[in-house]
Protein backbone atom coordinates (compact mmCIF):
# COMPACT_ATOMS: atom_id res chain seq x y z
CA UNK A 1 0.00 0.00 0.00
CA UNK A 2 1.32 3.44 -0.90
CA UNK A 3 1.70 5.95 1.89
CA UNK A 4 2.16 9.68 1.74
CA UNK A 5 5.71 10.49 2.80
CA UNK A 6 4.96 13.97 4.09
CA UNK A 7 2.08 13.29 6.47
CA UNK A 8 3.90 15.31 9.13
CA UNK A 9 3.86 18.38 6.85
CA UNK A 10 0.42 18.18 5.25
CA UNK A 11 -2.25 20.06 7.18
CA UNK A 12 -6.00 20.32 7.04
CA UNK A 13 -8.34 22.70 8.87
CA UNK A 14 -10.18 21.82 12.04
CA UNK A 15 -13.62 23.40 12.10
CA UNK A 16 -15.46 24.47 15.20
CA UNK A 17 -19.22 24.16 14.82
CA UNK A 18 -21.23 26.70 16.78
CA UNK A 19 -24.94 25.94 17.10
CA UNK A 20 -27.56 28.35 18.38
CA UNK A 21 -30.07 25.82 19.76
CA UNK A 22 -32.85 28.41 20.07
CA UNK A 23 -32.89 29.05 16.30
CA UNK A 24 -32.98 25.37 15.31
CA UNK A 25 -36.24 23.81 14.08
CA UNK A 26 -34.98 20.20 13.85
CA UNK A 27 -34.93 19.93 10.05
CA UNK A 28 -31.82 17.70 10.27
CA UNK A 29 -30.36 19.06 7.01
CA UNK A 30 -27.04 19.69 8.74
CA UNK A 31 -26.91 16.10 9.98
CA UNK A 32 -27.87 14.62 6.59
CA UNK A 33 -25.51 16.73 4.49
CA UNK A 34 -22.38 16.67 6.64
CA UNK A 35 -19.83 14.79 4.49
CA UNK A 36 -17.93 13.54 7.56
CA UNK A 37 -20.91 12.62 9.74
CA UNK A 38 -19.84 14.99 12.52
CA UNK A 39 -23.31 15.95 13.79
CA UNK A 40 -26.10 14.07 15.48
CA UNK A 41 -29.42 14.99 17.06
CA UNK A 42 -29.28 16.12 20.67
CA UNK A 43 -31.17 14.35 23.39
CA UNK A 44 -32.22 17.73 24.78
CA UNK A 45 -34.73 20.10 23.21
CA UNK A 46 -34.71 23.87 22.82
CA UNK A 47 -37.40 26.15 24.23
CA UNK A 48 -39.60 25.43 21.18
CA UNK A 49 -39.41 21.69 21.82
CA UNK A 50 -37.07 20.87 18.91
CA UNK A 51 -33.95 18.73 19.02
CA UNK A 52 -30.86 20.53 17.76
CA UNK A 53 -27.56 19.22 16.36
CA UNK A 54 -24.56 18.42 18.52
CA UNK A 55 -21.14 17.03 17.68
CA UNK A 56 -20.94 13.24 17.90
CA UNK A 57 -18.60 12.01 20.61
CA UNK A 58 -15.20 11.22 19.14
CA UNK A 59 -15.83 13.33 16.02
CA UNK A 60 -14.45 16.61 17.37
CA UNK A 61 -11.49 16.59 14.97
CA UNK A 62 -13.45 15.34 11.95
CA UNK A 63 -14.94 18.71 10.96
CA UNK A 64 -12.89 20.12 8.08
CA UNK A 65 -14.68 23.50 8.05
CA UNK A 66 -16.42 22.83 4.72
CA UNK A 67 -19.38 24.82 6.10
CA UNK A 68 -21.94 22.53 4.45
CA UNK A 69 -24.02 22.46 7.65
CA UNK A 70 -23.92 26.25 7.80
CA UNK A 71 -24.95 26.56 4.14
CA UNK A 72 -27.92 24.17 4.31
CA UNK A 73 -29.38 25.47 7.58
CA UNK A 74 -32.57 27.36 6.67
CA UNK A 75 -32.73 28.98 10.10
CA UNK A 76 -29.11 30.27 10.27
CA UNK A 77 -28.61 28.35 13.50
CA UNK A 78 -25.10 27.14 12.63
CA UNK A 79 -21.81 28.95 12.23
CA UNK A 80 -18.53 27.22 11.40
CA UNK A 81 -15.16 28.69 12.29
CA UNK A 82 -11.86 27.30 11.05
CA UNK A 83 -9.86 27.51 14.24
CA UNK A 84 -6.60 25.75 13.55
CA UNK A 85 -4.89 23.18 11.39
CA UNK A 86 -3.84 19.64 12.23
CA UNK A 87 -1.25 17.55 10.45
CA UNK A 88 -2.47 14.29 8.98
CA UNK A 89 -0.01 12.21 10.98
CA UNK A 90 -1.46 13.59 14.24
CA UNK A 91 -5.03 13.10 13.01
CA UNK A 92 -4.39 9.49 12.02
CA UNK A 93 -2.02 8.79 14.91
CA UNK A 94 0.87 7.81 12.64
CA UNK A 95 4.44 8.42 13.69
CA UNK A 96 6.97 9.55 11.10
CA UNK A 97 9.04 6.42 11.70
CA UNK A 98 6.09 4.10 11.07
CA UNK A 99 6.01 5.05 7.40
CA UNK A 100 9.71 5.48 6.76
CA UNK A 101 9.84 9.30 7.23
Amino acid sequence: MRRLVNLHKMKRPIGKIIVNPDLCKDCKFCIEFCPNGVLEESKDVNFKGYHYPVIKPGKELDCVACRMCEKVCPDFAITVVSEEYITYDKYYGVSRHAHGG
Side-chain angles (χ1 to χ4, degrees):
M1 180 165 103
R2 293 180 67 185
R3 294 179 189 240
L4 297 173
V5 291
N6 292 327
L7 280 178
H8 63 285
K9 292 182 182 177
M10 296 180 64
K11 295 181 179 181
R12 70 157 182 85
I14 298 175
K16 180 179 179 183
I17 301 169
I18 302 165
V19 177
N20 183 339
D22 294 335
L23 294 178
C24 183
K25 293 184 186 163
D26 200 14
C27 70
K28 297 183 187 70
F29 288 161
C30 57
I31 295 169
E32 292 174 28
F33 288 102
C34 177
N36 291 340
V38 174
L39 298 170
E40 68 181 3
E41 187 177 73
S42 68
K43 292 178 178 40
D44 297 326
V45 294
N46 62 17
F47 78 98
K48 299 175 202 171
Y50 295 117
H51 294 276
Y52 50 90
V54 293
I55 297 172
K56 288 180 185 177
K59 292 281 201 171
E60 294 82 5
L61 296 178
D62 288 353
C63 178
V64 295
C66 72
R67 292 183 164 77
M68 183 60 76
C69 56
E70 183 178 3
K71 293 172 187 173
V72 299
C73 180
D75 300 307
F76 305 103
I78 299 176
T79 304
V80 179
V81 178
S82 181
E83 284 207 320
E84 58 185 288
Y85 288 82
I86 187 170
T87 58
Y88 280 90
D89 61 339
K90 287 183 183 175
Y91 176 73
Y92 289 112
V94 177
S95 73
R96 289 179 68 185
H97 305 290
H99 56 81

